[in-house]
Amino acid sequence: MTYHEILKQYWGYDSFRDIQQDIIESIGAGQDTLGLMPTGGGKSITFQVPALAKPGMCIVITPLIALMKDQVQNLRKRNIKALAIYSGMTHEEILVQLENCIFGDYKFLYISPERLSTSEFRNWLRKMNINMIAVDESHCISQWGYDFRPSYLKIAEIRELLPDIPVLALTATATPEVAKDIQAKLHFKKENVFRMSFERKNLAYIVRKTENKAKELLHILTKTSGSAIIYARNRKSTKEITELLQKNGITAQFYHAGLTNEERNLKQQQWKENVYRVIVATNAFGMGIDKPDVRLVVHVDLPDSIEAYFQEAGRAGRDGLKAYSVVLYANTDKAMLTKRISDTFPEKKYIKDVYESLNYYYQMAMGDGQGCTYDFSLEEFCRRFKYFPVQADSALKILAQAGYIEYTDEQDNASRLIFTLRRNELYKLRDNDNNTDKIIQHILRNYTGVFTDYAYINEDNIALQTGLNRQEIYQTLLSLSQRRIIHYIPRKKTPRITYICGRVEPHRLYIPPSAYEERKKRYTARIKAILNYANSTEHCRSRMLLQYFGEYNDHNCQQCDICLSRHESGLKQGEFNEIRENIERMLQNGAIPPETFQEKLQYNPQKLQTVLHFLILEEELETKDGMVTLKGQSISKPANQAKCLPTQRKAHKGI
């Protein structure tokens, strides 16, 4: 089938969006390809369609387990065979999935980058028929990126095992420096980048400076309509803000990683179905959530990077209709954000102390531990050794960056099972009680593929459908597992620590600059960039964001708070700045008669005259012999003069 036929058959679309087809044709032709697409740009289509067009299976590498599960489920709903391997799975589960990759005619294998380095996976990989490799969140491979992960560097080693298999790298947040580094780290045969404009013409970026965020938040929500996301820094804040909104008649629910899987799924689904207007969440919410009609995203607390802000803000207005992204900014926010630097990068002595405490925690002997994995409770660890959780968590992440441990954040893995008996053997069983038969029949009717693959189950749903209570369901499934009729893995929610190398003595613990000093320097720069964005009073916010990612244009958005504010000339700030920039560009060639500005720029004559008059009065321009020129500058024509676009936009009413 052609790419368009695949798109129509499985997704129901008649045509591709923006640069999707260019990327698909590039990777389909066997070329290493980097796709830069903003949040909501449709990245998954760019590897799913070409992979379906070719024999074999696509390996999709992503660190986002929630997104991994979501995409596998969505593909299966479209009758596309897909599976996933990630941390938290048992060895038996992984073996079943790997066998399916070879014998099950699967089209997609989603895998976390940590799994790539295991010798077992690489042995199985040699037996697989791979048609391409897709690397999602590819900025993680760059040490210049905001979310560098050492495990991503293992992808290049996989390429050596599959030298003729093309790689498609995808990301929504890459500066020019990071884009170049991604291609180098992934061993691209030649640079090949497709960049979709990050400009969101329907999205108005606004910063509201206020010392009463609660009052301002209520004001914004009453002045706007439609679905909204409120981002807050911590779990406690999400609950407090939700209670505030509910008391004021606004339907809202809170969401964070500390909730159970069932609670999160329920709240997320109810919000998507507009049972609640507002979801108040930490940054754990939003990845892979496709709700196109979000009209408002509010950040009650500033994120620690432009990259994180841009991705979260971009969840508003995916349907192309007018939407707002608002930051609430108080004078105290700068100090709070700056403190994150010391919290994220505690002193090296502190990091070494945490490492030693970790060894005592697991009673690890010197030289032992390599390859060992343990459940880990940060709360218990900090209570026992008297650490503050934020700094201890940061220290563990730095130890992971330095290559001593693998530290997986808290993951909520739903219960899952697989039948170990064949279907005909199952029907021969005669010693089951009524409850057992009822549960087996329910599973066979409601879950597909349970004889060849692990199925995620929900004990609460089974209890509701069978009339049994949850404890009866749990005990029955355990009994079936003990009888080797099924392999049942109850739901478990916990972080994990894996020792990459054996325990070393404190004086031999080496934290390289790449894991500490260089990352701290870049983190500090990102903090500075987001603070500059929040404190700016002159520059169009859309242009500031675009320029951060290396995209330059010569027009203001005319809808952010800066553009809609009033300049002292009487014009809106955005209009004044845009006209001035185009006038100054034209004057780089030399003196110009006043009427030439109108001929070339096509602005409203009165507004153009207002700007010219203001600049002359301020002595930024001067007139000589009926000509206008830049004051105090030598006239020289640049090698490449920027093109002046005639731009007239209707200003939108702000919130």
Side-chain angles (χ1 to χ4, degrees):
M1 288 192 294
T2 67
Y3 296 140
H4 281 90
E5 288 171 341
I6 292 170
L7 182 70
K8 181 66 175 178
Q9 177 176 330
Y10 291 105
W11 285 273
Y13 300 134
D14 293 314
S15 60
F16 294 102
R17 294 164 47 192
D18 298 299
I19 62 171
Q20 283 180 332
Q21 186 167 346
D22 295 331
I23 294 174
I24 288 168
E25 289 177 349
S26 175
I27 190 68
Q31 299 175 353
D32 294 336
T33 305
L34 172 59
L36 305 178
M37 305 172 72
T39 302
K43 293 191 294 294
S44 59
I45 289 287
T46 63
F47 63 82
Q48 290 171 349
V49 168
L52 288 170
K54 300 168 69 174
M57 182 176 65
C58 172
I59 294 180
V60 186
I61 301 165
T62 175
L64 305 167
I65 294 177
L67 182 61
M68 192 185 296
K69 294 177 181 177
D70 185 62
Q71 289 205 5
V72 167
Q73 290 174 0
N74 287 334
L75 287 168
R76 289 178 174 178
K77 288 176 184 176
R78 293 182 167 88
N79 294 317
I80 299 170
K81 299 184 77 172
L83 45 77
I85 296 175
Y86 47 84
S87 59
M89 295 174 68
T90 66
H91 187 253
E92 290 81 2
E93 283 183 286
I94 293 170
L95 287 179
V96 169
Q97 302 293 50
L98 290 172
E99 287 179 354
N100 281 333
C101 288
I102 298 171
F103 304 113
D105 193 30
Y106 278 77
K107 292 299 297 182
F108 295 94
L109 167 62
Y110 284 76
I111 188 165
S112 57
E114 291 80 11
R115 292 285 159 189
L116 298 177
S117 59
T118 64
S119 57
E120 182 175 47
F121 175 76
R122 295 187 182 193
N123 289 334
W124 283 89
L125 182 64
R126 292 183 176 93
K127 306 172 188 175
M128 299 178 192
N129 180 21
I130 307 300
N131 60 24
M132 63 179 285
I133 300 170
V135 183
D136 199 13
E137 306 296 327
S138 60
H139 59 269
C140 294
I141 202 170
S142 173
Q143 292 191 15
W144 303 106
Y146 80 104
D147 194 21
F148 169 65
R149 304 192 183 204
S151 56
Y152 261 68
L153 297 173
K154 301 293 183 182
I155 300 172
E157 297 175 11
I158 295 299
R159 295 213 67 183
E160 294 175 7
L161 299 177
L162 305 168
D164 299 321
I165 303 303
V167 168
L168 172 58
L170 297 164
T171 180
T173 49
T175 62
E177 183 180 42
V178 170
K180 196 171 187 69
D181 199 31
I182 289 170
Q183 296 174 84
K185 292 290 194 304
L186 286 174
H187 296 178
F188 272 36
K189 294 179 176 65
K190 64 177 182 179
E191 291 193 356
N192 184 27
V193 183
F194 292 88
R195 180 186 292 273
M196 181 176 165
S197 174
F198 283 16
E199 184 176 13
R200 295 286 304 278
K201 294 182 179 180
N202 65 311
L203 185 55
Y205 299 100
I206 295 166
V207 175
R208 282 283 173 84
K209 295 189 176 180
T210 175
E211 298 306 311
N212 190 337
K213 293 186 179 183
K215 180 180 178 181
E216 189 63 33
L217 179 61
L218 290 172
H219 169 75
I220 290 169
L221 287 168
T222 55
K223 290 295 182 181
T224 59
S225 60
S227 188
I229 304 173
I230 312 297
Y231 280 108
R233 180 179 295 121
N234 55 50
R235 299 175 183 183
K236 181 182 177 184
S237 295
T238 64
K239 190 172 183 179
E240 291 173 348
I241 293 169
T242 298
E243 291 171 352
L244 169 71
L245 300 183
Q246 290 172 343
K247 286 177 183 177
N248 285 272
I250 299 170
T251 57
Q253 267 296 353
F254 62 91
Y255 181 107
H256 54 68
L259 300 172
T260 66
N261 190 53
E262 290 79 12
E263 287 174 322
R264 292 206 307 271
N265 287 341
L266 178 62
K267 291 184 178 188
Q268 176 181 301
Q269 191 60 35
Q270 289 178 329
W271 174 74
K272 289 176 72 172
E273 294 173 354
N274 297 316
V275 175
Y276 300 102
R277 179 190 171 195
V278 180
I279 193 91
V280 186
T282 61
N283 60 6
F285 178 80
M287 195 63 68
I289 305 303
D290 185 18
K291 182 171 170 59
D293 61 344
V294 177
R295 302 269 66 84
L296 174 69
V297 171
V298 179
H299 281 84
V300 175
D301 302 297
L302 264 182
D304 56 8
S305 69
I306 292 287
E307 289 92 337
Y309 170 70
F310 189 77
Q311 191 170 65
E312 291 163 4
R315 291 177 183 135
R318 291 189 183 182
D319 55 6
L321 302 179
K322 185 64 184 294
Y324 298 91
S325 173
V326 183
V327 170
L328 300 183
Y329 186 72
N331 290 328
T332 55
D333 286 348
K334 181 177 180 180
M336 291 178 65
L337 201 57
T338 303
K339 185 180 181 298
R340 290 199 204 178
I341 299 172
S342 58
D343 285 344
T344 306
F345 292 92
E347 296 295 326
K348 284 188 175 182
K349 182 183 182 305
Y350 179 90
I351 298 169
K352 292 182 178 183
D353 289 343
V354 169
Y355 178 73
E356 276 298 279
S357 298
L358 189 70
N359 292 320
Y360 287 121
Y361 187 65
Y362 293 121
Q363 298 183 342
M364 189 65 63
M366 200 66 66
D368 288 350
Q370 184 173 2
C372 295
T373 298
Y374 303 95
D375 289 345
F376 179 71
S377 169
L378 180 64
E379 182 181 356
E380 181 188 344
F381 176 77
C382 290
R383 185 170 58 249
R384 184 183 299 184
F385 296 100
K386 302 199 169 36
Y387 291 120
F388 289 108
V390 173
Q391 291 92 331
D393 181 70
S394 296
L396 291 168
K397 288 176 178 175
I398 291 170
L399 288 167
Q401 295 281 349
Y404 289 95
I405 62 171
E406 180 185 313
Y407 176 41
T408 58
D409 291 338
E410 190 173 273
Q411 301 294 340
D412 194 345
N413 295 312
S415 299
R416 48 209 188 273
L417 62 78
I418 186 173
F419 278 90
T420 55
L421 294 182
R422 293 188 179 92
R423 187 183 291 269
N424 60 339
E425 294 174 326
L426 186 64
Y427 291 137
K428 294 177 183 177
L429 296 175
R430 293 288 182 266
D431 55 348
N432 291 334
D433 57 31
N434 288 336
N435 286 352
T436 302
D437 280 338
K438 191 182 293 186
I439 291 170
I440 289 175
Q441 290 302 320
H442 174 84
I443 293 170
L444 293 176
R445 283 196 304 269
N446 291 276
Y447 298 94
T448 59
V450 289
F451 290 93
T452 58
D453 196 1
Y454 282 85
Y456 289 96
I457 63 167
N458 186 317
E459 289 89 343
D460 290 326
N461 287 344
I462 297 175
L464 187 65
Q465 296 293 325
T466 60
L468 304 173
N469 62 48
R470 198 182 195 285
Q471 187 61 26
E472 288 175 319
I473 301 294
Y474 175 72
Q475 291 297 336
T476 301
L477 292 175
L478 279 182
S479 174
L480 286 169
S481 192
Q482 290 166 358
R483 293 166 59 193
R484 300 187 183 279
I485 295 170
I486 66 172
H487 184 216
Y488 170 55
I489 304 166
R491 174 178 168 269
K492 195 170 190 180
K493 181 178 181 180
T494 180
R496 285 182 170 82
I497 295 282
T498 298
Y499 276 78
I500 302 301
C501 58
R503 177 185 174 183
V504 299
E505 296 176 355
H507 69 274
R508 296 185 63 189
L509 186 76
Y510 175 64
I511 301 171
S514 60
Y516 190 86
E517 286 86 1
E518 293 175 14
R519 289 181 62 243
K520 182 177 181 180
K521 180 180 179 181
R522 291 191 290 271
Y523 184 77
T524 303
R526 284 192 285 272
I527 294 285
K528 183 178 179 181
I530 193 71
L531 286 171
N532 286 343
Y533 171 83
N535 285 294
S536 176
T537 58
E538 295 183 1
H539 303 293
C540 168
R541 298 205 185 278
S542 177
R543 289 180 73 179
M544 288 182 70
L545 293 171
L546 294 175
Q547 287 173 13
Y548 182 85
F549 294 110
E551 183 177 337
Y552 298 89
N553 58 29
D554 54 9
H555 61 269
N556 294 329
C557 72
Q558 306 298 357
Q559 60 182 357
C560 70
D561 60 302
I562 300 296
C563 285
L564 294 180
S565 64
R566 288 289 172 182
H567 183 263
E568 54 186 311
S569 66
L571 298 179
K572 289 175 181 173
Q573 184 76 49
E575 289 180 318
F576 180 88
N577 289 347
E578 186 176 308
I579 295 171
R580 178 177 63 184
E581 287 178 16
N582 279 305
I583 287 172
E584 290 174 348
R585 285 193 187 99
M586 290 184 67
L587 289 173
Q588 293 296 324
N589 279 335
I592 293 176
E595 59 271 15
T596 303
F597 293 111
Q598 188 60 53
E599 293 172 7
K600 299 289 186 183
L601 296 180
Q602 304 289 314
Y603 286 110
N604 176 288
Q606 185 176 353
K607 291 180 179 180
L608 182 58
Q609 288 300 319
T610 297
V611 176
L612 282 168
H613 184 64
F614 183 88
L615 295 176
I616 290 169
L617 287 176
E618 291 294 308
E619 297 185 346
E620 293 183 35
L621 304 180
E622 60 184 1
T623 57
K624 293 179 181 178
D625 301 324
M627 306 283 278
V628 180
T629 185
L630 292 169
K631 185 175 179 63
Q633 289 188 9
S634 58
I635 309 300
S636 59
K637 185 175 180 178
N640 292 298
Q641 183 184 1
K643 183 180 178 182
C644 300
L645 294 179
T647 308
Q648 278 288 85
R649 284 182 173 77
K650 182 179 179 181
H652 293 275
K653 185 178 179 181
I655 61 175

